[in-house]
Every structure is written in C-alpha cells, then in structure tokens.
Amino acid sequence: MTRNPVSQAGKVTRWMPVLLLLCGAWIAPGQSFAAEPASPAAALRAKHAEFSKRLYHNQFQRALHLVSVESSQDLQGDIYAVVDYPFAKVEQALNNPAHWCDVLILHVNIKYCRSAEDPAGTILSVNLGKKYDQPLADSYSVEFDYRQVSAMRDYFAVELKAEHGPISTHDYRIWLEATPLTEGRTFLHFTYTYAFGLPGRVAMQGYLATLGRDKVGFTVTGKQANGQPVYIKGVRGVVERNTMRYYLAIDAYLAALTTPPAEQLEKRLQYWYSGTEQYARQLHEVERKEYLAMKRKEYQRQQAAR
C-alpha cells in the first residue's frame, strides 16, 4: 500500500512541537535560536559571581579584587568591589560630574579639579602634580570629557576620557559602573587606563630605575624564603597603585555622605589617608599631617576658583 506523502507531512508537522520539546529544542513563539545579549547589569552581576571567591578571600581585608594588564602601548588597572551602600545612594553620588572633582582631589597627585559645561558636554579640568604642595603653574593640566554612559533602574556607568596627558601619555580613561546587590550593597567596577609614547616610556624607565625601584604593586608573583609575598614591580606596579588610590577616593567619598556637609571634607581626607595606610607597603608617600595640610589648601583653592 502506497502512503500518502501529504498525509505523512501533516503528521510530521502536527507532532513537530512534541519532538522539539523532547529533544530540548522547543522554542517559544517569538523566540529565535540566537541568544539574547546580556544586559549591562546582568553582565556586571556575572562578574560578581565569577570573582566571588577572590572578592571575599584576599589580601585586601575588604571585598575587592584587583587586576592589571600591560601591553606594548598601554596600561590598565581594574578593581571590582562590593560596597556597603545602597545602589540609589551610590548612583546619586557618582553619577554627577560635580561630585567627581571632590572625589579626584583626594588623590595625592591631583592638585585641582573644576567641572564646566561646554557645547560638547561636560569637561573636568584636572591638574596633576607632585606629592607635595606646589603652584598650579608647575603642574600638568589634563582635560577629561565626562560622559554618562548609562543610567537604568539597576545599572549606571560613567566615563572620563582625556586625549592628552603629561610626557606624551595619552588616551586616559576612567570608567565606573555599578549594579545593586542584596542587603543594601552595591557592586562596583572601576577601570583606570592610559597609553604612552616613547618620551613617556623613557621617563617611566628612568623613574623605575631610581625613585620607583623599590615600589611594588598588589599582584603577588611568588613567595620569599620566609613565606612573605613577592609583589609585582615595574609599570604594572605603577598602574595598580594608581588604580587603588582612585578607588580609595571613591570609597572615601561614599563613606563621608552620612556626615553633616560641613564635616564631609575632613571625613573624606582622613578616610582616604587611612585607606592608603592600610596598604602602606604600596601606597605610603607622605605623613598624615603633611597630606591633610596640603589637601585642605588645595580644596580651598579649588572652591575659590568656582
């Protein structure tokens, strides 16, 4: 007996949903085979899951994970951290260019910061200098374009970019993104990166051969005979130290928000310095008294310019 091909096709069509379901290949109406791209919040939470062990079991005595990368052209440091502040408070504090000047001035090498609007957007004029009091005329001026990348219910991201920096350095980029966690906490990802030309590389080599020869970063590369860690040196050590200084400035700014406004500057300064002294092997540069006197003066100069 010859089977009717039309009838057979009808049976196959009728049973196709069941076959797909049994094979684990059932696709709901409106779906496609292509995977949907993860949202920025989901991607960041995936990083939290990926780094969970490192975040909570590390040398930093806080929920923090630091990585650095060196290429032939640039350096990059990344910090992933959990902070004990609600997402709404973190966004209000850090998704605002004016607040970033109060963050950046805490860094020992930032001498001045001013936020201004121009037709192209928001510009942060930042002066970089030495680790002691100095006139602005003796510092380097760098202009960062500030951009709000994203602002959603469960995610925000901001970016600061500068095309040119001192001694042939260029393409500076500061990136911060955040998403809420449970129990009123927030997960942050902070990136600090820049590129350098030949004069910058030569200057860096000179620094590392002299003033910076004994300085180290945070990445552990081995152990000494007595069991103590051996930390990374060189340019990766440089970028790791600076990345940590910027992150500690963010943390200090957030920590001071519960303080009355008139007392917030002092709280930020004390908190930042104490944070750096927690990692004195890497970050100690000046004594507390010198740092506080210098920064109070620089902050007043910054406020007067506004």
Side-chain angles (χ1 to χ4, degrees):
M1 178 178 175
T2 303
R3 296 180 178 176
N4 185 332
V6 176
S7 176
Q8 287 297 106
K11 290 181 180 179
V12 171
T13 302
R14 187 166 60 250
W15 285 98
M16 184 63 73
V18 178
L19 293 172
L20 289 172
L21 186 60
L22 291 173
C23 293
W26 169 245
I27 299 175
Q31 287 185 312
S32 65
F33 283 98
E36 290 293 324
S39 70
L44 189 54
R45 285 194 293 270
K47 285 293 184 182
H48 176 260
E50 177 184 348
F51 297 139
S52 60
K53 289 185 179 179
R54 299 172 188 174
L55 282 167
Y56 299 104
H57 300 88
N58 56 58
Q59 60 176 301
F60 301 109
Q61 299 180 335
R62 62 174 75 200
L64 186 147
H65 175 55
L66 184 153
V67 293
S68 63
V69 178
E70 174 192 358
S71 76
S72 60
Q73 299 296 326
D74 57 22
L75 292 166
Q76 179 170 320
D78 288 272
I79 283 180
Y80 299 86
V82 177
V83 295
D84 293 326
Y85 310 108
F87 175 77
K89 179 175 288 188
V90 173
E91 181 181 22
Q92 184 180 22
L94 299 176
N95 196 5
N96 185 319
H99 295 173
W100 272 90
C101 279
D102 289 339
V103 172
L104 295 175
I105 196 67
L106 300 176
H107 190 300
V108 68
N109 293 112
I110 303 296
K111 319 309 290 180
Y112 174 83
C113 177
R114 180 173 63 88
S115 171
E117 299 292 329
D118 75 2
T122 303
I123 302 295
L124 295 185
S125 298
V126 177
N127 285 69
L128 310 175
K130 305 293 185 180
K131 299 175 177 67
Y132 51 79
D133 186 23
Q134 64 179 149
L136 286 181
D138 296 339
S139 62
Y140 294 98
S141 179
V142 180
E143 299 225 320
F144 284 91
D145 293 320
Y146 175 94
R147 183 170 68 99
Q148 177 183 277
V149 178
S150 180
M152 297 184 285
R153 180 182 57 83
D154 61 349
Y155 176 85
F156 80 89
V158 297
E159 181 181 53
L160 286 71
K161 295 181 71 174
E163 186 176 352
H164 302 291
I167 319 176
S168 84
T169 55
H170 55 94
D171 293 329
Y172 280 80
R173 181 174 182 256
I174 290 174
W175 168 275
L176 179 76
E177 58 181 343
T179 193
L181 298 175
T182 60
E183 301 176 352
R185 301 171 304 154
T186 301
F187 184 50
L188 300 177
H189 171 212
F190 173 78
T191 296
Y192 170 67
T193 182
Y194 64 94
F196 41 84
L198 180 59
R201 182 180 292 277
V202 171
M204 179 66 75
Q205 290 172 346
Y207 166 76
L208 293 173
T210 55
L211 295 176
R213 65 180 178 272
D214 295 323
K215 295 183 180 294
V216 298
F218 293 91
T219 297
V220 176
T221 60
K223 284 189 177 182
Q224 303 177 40
N226 61 4
Q228 293 299 307
V230 176
Y231 295 108
I232 196 164
K233 291 188 174 183
V235 291
R236 279 184 59 192
V238 172
V239 77
E240 288 186 2
R241 293 193 297 274
N242 256 332
T243 303
M244 181 63 85
R245 289 189 182 104
Y246 281 119
Y247 170 74
L248 291 174
I250 292 170
D251 191 46
Y253 185 84
L254 292 172
L257 293 177
T258 57
T259 306
E263 301 172 14
Q264 287 185 7
L265 172 63
E266 195 65 23
K267 175 71 176 289
R268 293 196 294 263
L269 295 176
Q270 296 281 0
Y271 201 93
W272 186 89
Y273 189 86
S274 295
T276 62
E277 286 299 286
Q278 187 179 359
Y279 315 111
R281 175 70 179 89
Q282 290 85 2
L283 302 182
H284 180 80
E285 297 288 350
V286 298
E287 299 305 316
R288 184 185 294 267
K289 182 179 179 180
E290 296 169 358
Y291 170 80
L292 293 175
M294 176 179 68
K295 285 300 166 181
R296 288 167 186 149
K297 182 177 179 180
E298 290 172 356
Y299 185 79
Q300 291 302 319
R301 177 171 62 188
Q302 182 167 291
Q303 294 302 102
R306 291 178 179 176

